[in-house]
Amino acid sequence: MVVVWSHKAKLELKKVFDYIALDSLKYAAMVRDEIIDLTIALGQHPEKYALDKYKINNDGSWRAFEKYHYRISYKITSNQIRIVRLRHTSQSPLNY
């Protein structure tokens, strides 16, 4: 299954990279690359992570995981896994 990042999620990942790079370019690249690698692996195991507890009336297709204090939310469809949002866990979650 193919993994696709929403435009908003891509922008959020770039902001994360830019922010961390202010202190350490090496650590910024490590965080970015590991998040990307984890999302790529979803293509083989889309249901690896728990249901997204912030999704109202979740039909089982909305899931999320955390890495380095960042929460990555994604939706599983019949032909793709869509990375919808990336946010720092200190930010308030969206109810959607």
Side-chain angles (χ1 to χ4, degrees):
M1 195 174 297
V2 66
V3 177
V4 178
W5 282 66
S6 71
H7 180 71
K8 182 178 179 181
K10 286 181 195 177
L11 290 176
E12 290 166 343
L13 183 61
K14 182 176 180 344
K15 286 180 190 177
V16 166
F17 177 85
D18 291 345
Y19 179 75
I20 297 171
L22 294 173
D23 290 327
S24 170
L25 187 57
K26 180 181 175 182
Y27 188 64
M30 182 191 76
V31 169
R32 177 201 61 203
D33 294 348
E34 190 158 345
I35 289 173
I36 290 170
D37 289 347
L38 288 170
T39 62
I40 290 170
L42 290 172
Q44 297 298 317
H45 305 285
E47 295 177 348
K48 177 178 181 177
Y49 298 105
L51 296 177
D52 188 340
K53 63 185 176 185
Y54 297 111
K55 174 66 176 153
I56 298 170
N57 298 324
N58 189 345
D59 63 0
S61 63
W62 293 88
R63 297 187 176 257
F65 65 95
E66 293 179 10
K67 187 68 177 180
Y68 298 114
H69 300 287
Y70 291 96
R71 181 177 174 80
I72 298 90
S73 301
Y74 65 97
K75 179 169 177 55
I76 303 168
T77 67
S78 60
N79 60 349
Q80 69 177 225
I81 297 160
R82 185 152 185 88
I83 308 301
V84 178
R85 185 163 192 237
L86 183 143
R87 69 169 176 84
H88 194 274
T89 56
S90 65
Q91 293 175 309
S92 297
L94 293 176
N95 286 319
Y96 57 100

